[in-house]
Amino acid sequence: MNRTLSTLILAALLVFLIGPFLIIVGASLSAGDTLAFPPQGLSLKWIAKVFTVESFRDSFIMSMILAVGGTFVALLLGVPAAYALSRYKLPFGEIVNTIVTLPIIVPGIIVGLALLRYLVVPFSFSIGVALFLAHTALVLPYTVRVVSSSFNNLRSDMEEAAVLLGATRLGAFFKVVLPNIQSGILAAFILGFVTSFNQVPVSLFLSGPGVRTLPIDMLSYMETTYDPSVAALSALLALMSIGIVFLAERFLGFSRYV
Amino acid sequence: MSDRAFLSLENLTLSYGNSIAVDKFNLDIRKGELVAFLGPSGCGKTTTMRSIAGLLTPTAGRITLDGTDITRVSANKRNVGLVFQSYALFPHLTVYENVAFGLRLKRMSDADIDARVTAGIKSVGLSALSGRKPTELSGGQQQRVALARSMVMEPKVLLLDEPLSNLDARLRVEMRAELQRVQKETGVTMIFVTHDQAEALSLADRIVVMREGLIEQVGTPEEIYNNPASSFVADFVGFENVFALRGGKLATPGGAVALAEALPGDAAGLAWRPSGVALETGPFKGTVKSVSFTGNLREYLLETPLGPITAEVGAALPVHALGAELAFDLPLKAAAPLQRFA
């Protein structure tokens, strides 16, 4: 009885988690001209079409720049911040910790509106710069949190040992601390990359003529053209994410950090 | 020369906010001496050690090493080695690279580094494991690596934080011998911190007993063991029966008790080891509350008008059952007179 129930719950869970993905993959393989499931016949033509749509290519590059560049900058800021938060008793450490986790809780749509109203409009930032800043800010909390847990697992006496052997504090950080949190940094990078790449609400507010991220571009494409190429693109992106997370789990034990 | 202080701590004081961790600590250590800081946790021994290393900055006072005031010298320029309780090896480096770490920062030639690292690893008997990572070593082996890593730097002082406490009994004997060998061969001045009196007694030339940031007594292991200066030290080194003296009488929970013999007038207290209590004879009576067999000896806990008394007799003697009434005596010749009672 109990066993049947838990099997049912598990099955329902899998259907809800994997079902949409299977529908998208199915729809993308359709031979018909409209987005539909079950697919009308089988063909790869929509997957091929994805690569010929110019705006997809541009927005993909934009998304990659934001995801890679934004996460990189977020790490540059987040790693020292996480280090300070885990090593020192800062006067406002607890508050900073809370603030750092806020963007995870605050709906993206609010962040987007706020950035638009108080950054882009008054300072006339270009859309590209605003998007970059927004994505960096969005990813920062994730990097701080993931890297913090790496620091917390690393005993501070290792740095003291390095200092007593003649290293400076900074030298100890680069020679002893950094090599031992590499996998945490990589995990933070992957999480940040995926978060930024999939980001819709904030980007929605900050996208402008000629500058948009891939998810936003897909939305606007669907408004005008209701063909399966969006499904094909979604399936490709999902596969990319699965591939990244699979490799990360395989080589880093990603799930330890997230 | 050898009598001159090599490492000297003058009025060393460290406080955190309102609490004082170390209070006006004064100590001179000779070159090549092996000194133990002994005390319970929170007594300030680790704080003192860390300030010698330069990991903590004293609130007041002065540290002089080899004729130089190092109070404000940063930790990486003091040439003081520290073997951490956790060993603090670098997990991403091999044994060889761990030991080479400090030398590489010194801009020595590769050949010189290799010679010293190889010799250092060999001296702790780990030549076969020099390519391993720390996680592939046992705790005892990790500690040897930590020791070699500090010693290849030829430190002026080697500090050790609880060097034997993480080891099992057999390794403890080995490491004790290892530390004595290192000290004999290199003549390095060593200070180690411990809460274990047996560890301090067996290894040190001189013991500094600390309590709540203050030095309670400084002396050789024999002095500390046989002539504890205070009730605290007596208790710490195994005098389980400690009494204050007031007006020539023992102050006990059951009131003042006079001994048959005349008591020394200037002592503040008297202490007896369990082995110093005479059983089955004497003017006092007690009830057996517990008996424990410890190999050669049998230890009795007695409930008496003088408070609980712990006594130890040869295990070959007849056993007294729980609840039995026993006569006992506190012979003055077995007592250690205490200068301070607190």
Side-chain angles (χ1 to χ4, degrees):
Chain A
M1 171 61 199
N2 246 338
R3 210 183 146 76
T4 343
L5 192 67
S6 52
T7 313
L8 267 175
I9 292 175
L10 187 68
L13 203 69
L14 284 176
V15 166
F16 277 104
L17 279 177
I18 300 178
F21 175 65
L22 292 179
I23 289 173
I24 287 293
V25 171
S28 72
L29 294 173
S30 171
D33 287 342
T34 53
L35 198 51
F37 188 84
Q40 303 139 326
L42 283 178
S43 97
L44 289 174
K45 68 176 177 180
W46 297 111
I47 291 181
K49 196 203 165 192
V50 166
F51 294 96
T52 66
V53 179
E54 203 176 328
S55 79
F56 282 168
R57 233 180 305 161
D58 292 345
S59 57
F60 177 78
I61 290 170
M62 187 67 201
S63 274
M64 281 304 261
I65 291 173
L66 291 175
V68 175
T71 306
F72 183 74
V73 174
L75 277 171
L76 285 184
L77 299 170
V79 170
Y83 182 75
L85 285 172
S86 78
R87 280 292 182 270
Y88 302 104
K89 260 204 193 112
L90 301 172
F92 301 107
E94 274 309 304
I95 297 173
V96 172
N97 246 332
T98 311
I99 290 175
V100 145
T101 50
L102 268 184
I104 298 174
I105 302 163
V106 175
I109 203 142
I110 294 173
V111 178
L113 180 63
L115 286 171
L116 180 67
R117 174 67 185 78
Y118 295 102
L119 215 61
V120 178
V121 175
F123 298 105
S124 46
F125 274 7
S126 77
I127 297 292
V129 173
L131 267 176
F132 194 90
L133 288 177
H135 278 248
T136 304
L138 277 169
V139 170
L140 185 62
Y142 295 94
T143 62
V144 171
R145 280 186 42 180
V146 174
V147 178
S148 281
S149 74
S150 294
F151 281 130
N152 291 336
N153 290 334
L154 195 72
R155 299 186 56 114
S156 60
D157 51 16
M158 226 187 286
E159 289 156 70
E160 292 177 343
V163 167
L164 288 173
L165 291 167
T168 59
R169 278 267 162 205
L170 199 65
F173 181 81
F174 282 106
K175 287 198 169 72
V176 173
V177 178
L178 222 43
N180 285 304
I181 58 155
Q182 267 176 357
S183 45
I185 289 182
L186 204 53
F189 186 87
I190 290 166
L191 190 63
F193 178 88
V194 173
T195 305
S196 165
F197 204 89
N198 294 331
Q199 172 59 39
V200 171
V202 176
S203 305
L204 200 57
F205 276 89
L206 299 174
S207 287
V211 183
R212 43 169 74 137
T213 62
L214 189 55
I216 306 300
D217 201 32
M218 288 162 70
L219 267 179
S220 65
Y221 181 89
M222 263 185 65
E223 283 164 10
T224 55
T225 325
Y226 200 68
D227 70 19
S229 59
V230 170
L233 181 53
S234 303
L236 288 174
L237 291 175
L239 281 176
M240 182 180 87
S241 292
I242 291 171
I244 291 174
V245 171
F246 176 78
L247 287 177
E249 179 62 43
R250 183 77 200 274
F251 293 109
L252 297 174
F254 189 56
S255 43
R256 268 188 300 149
Y257 296 93
V258 186
Chain B
M1 174 64 201
S2 67
D3 270 9
R4 219 189 63 200
F6 181 66
L7 173 67
S8 154
L9 309 173
E10 293 163 67
N11 285 318
L12 190 72
T13 303
L14 277 105
S15 50
Y16 305 101
N18 287 328
S19 70
I20 296 179
V22 176
D23 196 3
K24 299 193 193 69
F25 189 103
N26 281 289
L27 184 72
D28 284 342
I29 293 171
R30 291 185 301 278
K31 195 174 165 79
E33 212 178 355
L34 210 171
V35 176
F37 291 173
L38 173 66
S41 66
C43 72
K45 58 189 194 296
T46 305
T47 306
T48 308
M49 184 193 69
R50 288 172 65 84
S51 49
I52 296 171
L55 296 172
L56 292 172
T57 309
T59 319
R62 204 150 70 113
I63 305 171
T64 317
L65 176 60
D66 200 8
T68 319
D69 183 344
I70 58 162
T71 318
R72 306 280 149 189
V73 174
S74 58
N76 59 342
K77 297 200 170 65
R78 289 192 181 191
N79 201 11
V80 169
L82 173 55
V83 176
F84 288 81
Q85 188 175 9
S86 65
Y87 316 138
L89 297 179
F90 309 132
H92 63 299
L93 299 177
T94 59
V95 167
Y96 184 96
E97 283 305 321
N98 263 283
V99 177
F101 187 90
L103 298 174
R104 293 217 187 279
L105 295 167
K106 276 189 160 181
R107 281 176 217 173
M108 289 170 66
S109 76
D110 282 353
D112 286 350
I113 292 176
D114 187 60
R116 272 165 80 167
V117 172
T118 308
I121 294 175
K122 189 171 172 234
S123 79
V124 293
L126 292 176
S127 298
L129 305 178
S130 68
R132 296 252 188 111
K133 292 279 178 67
T135 47
E136 299 166 328
L137 302 179
S138 70
Q141 289 167 336
Q142 290 186 30
Q143 189 171 35
R144 282 157 190 273
V145 177
L147 182 63
R149 185 176 67 176
S150 288
M151 285 309 295
V152 293
M153 301 300 290
E154 296 173 358
K156 287 183 172 167
V157 178
L158 181 66
L159 307 169
L160 302 120
D161 190 2
E162 303 274 2
L164 306 179
S165 60
N166 286 353
L167 306 175
D168 64 37
R170 191 178 54 82
L171 280 174
R172 208 171 283 189
V173 175
E174 266 179 38
M175 187 41 79
R176 196 150 55 207
E178 179 78 19
L179 291 174
Q180 279 166 340
R181 180 191 64 77
V182 166
Q183 207 235 0
K184 193 161 175 242
E185 280 176 13
T186 63
V188 68
T189 307
M190 281 194 199
I191 300 172
F192 71 99
V193 152
T194 180
H195 64 272
D196 179 354
Q197 48 114 351
E199 198 171 316
L201 292 168
S202 63
L203 198 51
D205 297 328
R206 205 147 58 109
I207 298 174
V208 179
V209 186
M210 294 183 67
R211 177 200 188 189
E212 289 173 7
L214 295 167
I215 294 181
E216 196 75 12
Q217 187 177 4
V218 180
T220 63
E222 288 80 4
E223 285 166 358
I224 302 280
Y225 190 79
N226 296 323
N227 306 311
S230 67
S231 53
F232 175 81
V233 178
D235 193 40
F236 214 80
V237 296
F239 288 84
E240 309 230 3
N241 311 298
V242 182
F243 297 94
L245 274 180
R246 269 183 223 113
K249 290 178 174 175
L250 296 185
T252 76
V257 172
L259 293 183
E261 300 145 290
L263 295 178
D266 54 346
L270 287 176
W272 283 266
R273 289 186 179 282
S275 57
V277 179
L279 275 190
E280 297 177 34
T281 167
F284 307 114
K285 293 254 185 300
T287 317
V288 178
K289 293 303 283 181
S290 78
V291 190
S292 56
F293 174 68
T294 60
N296 291 330
L297 299 168
R298 189 167 275 126
E299 191 177 87
Y300 290 95
L301 180 64
L302 305 178
E303 193 179 68
T304 80
L306 283 61
I309 292 283
T310 310
E312 222 172 45
V313 291
L317 297 173
V319 188
H320 299 283
L322 287 182
E325 190 157 273
L326 273 181
F328 71 93
D329 193 12
L330 298 170
L332 192 61
K333 63 174 189 330
L338 309 172
Q339 292 156 31
R340 294 189 309 281
F341 194 95

